[in-house]
Amino acid sequence: MTPYLVRPIAAADVDAVAQLHVAVWQAAFRGLLPDAFLDAISVERRTAMWRQLVERQVSPALVAEQDGCIVGFVLGGPSRDDDAQPGVTGEIMAIYITPDRWGAGAGVQLMQAALALLSDQGFREVILWVLRGNARARRFYELAGFEPDGGEKVDTQGDVPFDEVRYRLRIG
């Protein structure tokens, strides 16, 4: 497993993270979401979103870097679910690795670092939502110890449905 530098996201990282975010969505979700939807994802909107997150210092928001290039990121915090126990349930809201580094350890390092930070913040369990049909991501989460907990939802962005299942891991 290649070691990566895992560190908090900085303002100087926003453009690279936004570009990576869009590129990974377009690669990872091709065949799971409509091509027109994926092709229309805006780097500019993602840049604005990440700029706001960095300014608000959402934690944990971490990047994995190798040879000066950002190859992945993770974003976590308190669970956004209505049935979550405040202060007890954290959430991994996003974890994405550039496709040429899939399986090379960056995701594992980012997940471990995010879970450690969430544990340090007092969370005792962590949830995440994943597209039902995203077999690669589901395998990754299961290898990290997450298990489906029976939660299901269909979110929409525009007219595109996101059929998701929830995973949970006890920590701390």
Side-chain angles (χ1 to χ4, degrees), residues 7-17 47 50-51 53-55 70:
R7 60 173 176 76
I9 188 172
D13 301 324
V14 167
D15 290 338
V17 169
T47 301
W50 279 103
R51 191 163 284 118
L53 289 171
V54 169
E55 288 170 1
I70 293 174

Side-chain angles (χ1 to χ4, degrees), residues 10-166:
D13 301 324
V14 167
D15 290 338
V17 169
Q19 289 173 13
L20 179 120
H21 199 166
V22 171
V24 173
W25 264 65
Q26 290 173 338
F29 299 139
R30 192 76 58 190
L32 296 173
L33 298 173
D35 287 348
F37 173 81
L38 294 172
D39 294 340
I41 296 173
S42 163
V43 172
E44 293 76 20
R45 275 184 258 153
R46 295 288 173 165
T47 301
M49 179 198 82
W50 279 103
R51 191 163 284 118
Q52 286 182 340
L53 289 171
V54 169
E55 288 170 1
R56 289 195 331 244
Q57 296 181 343
V58 173
S59 179
L62 305 170
V63 294
E65 183 180 316
Q66 187 176 53
D67 299 326
C69 295
I70 293 174
V71 299
F73 66 85
V74 62
L75 176 64
S79 173
R80 300 168 291 178
D81 287 2
D82 292 338
D83 64 349
Q85 289 183 268
V88 173
T89 307
E91 182 174 355
I92 298 294
M93 298 162 194
I95 183 167
Y96 294 111
I97 309 303
T98 187
D100 66 347
R101 296 298 203 304
W102 286 349
V108 171
Q109 284 187 247
L110 279 168
M111 181 65 82
Q112 290 172 343
L115 293 173
L117 284 173
L118 289 167
S119 179
D120 290 348
Q121 292 173 1
F123 295 107
R124 296 295 159 238
E125 62 183 12
V126 177
I127 59 106
L128 57 81
W129 290 93
V130 60
L131 287 175
R132 184 181 305 276
N134 192 344
R136 175 190 306 277
R138 292 179 74 164
R139 274 192 310 274
F140 173 78
Y141 299 138
E142 290 165 6
L143 287 170
F146 284 85
E147 296 179 349
D149 72 358
E152 300 180 349
K153 67 179 177 179
V154 178
D155 279 338
T156 57
Q157 288 189 28
D159 60 351
V160 176
F162 288 70
D163 182 14
E164 297 175 292
V165 294
R166 186 171 60 193

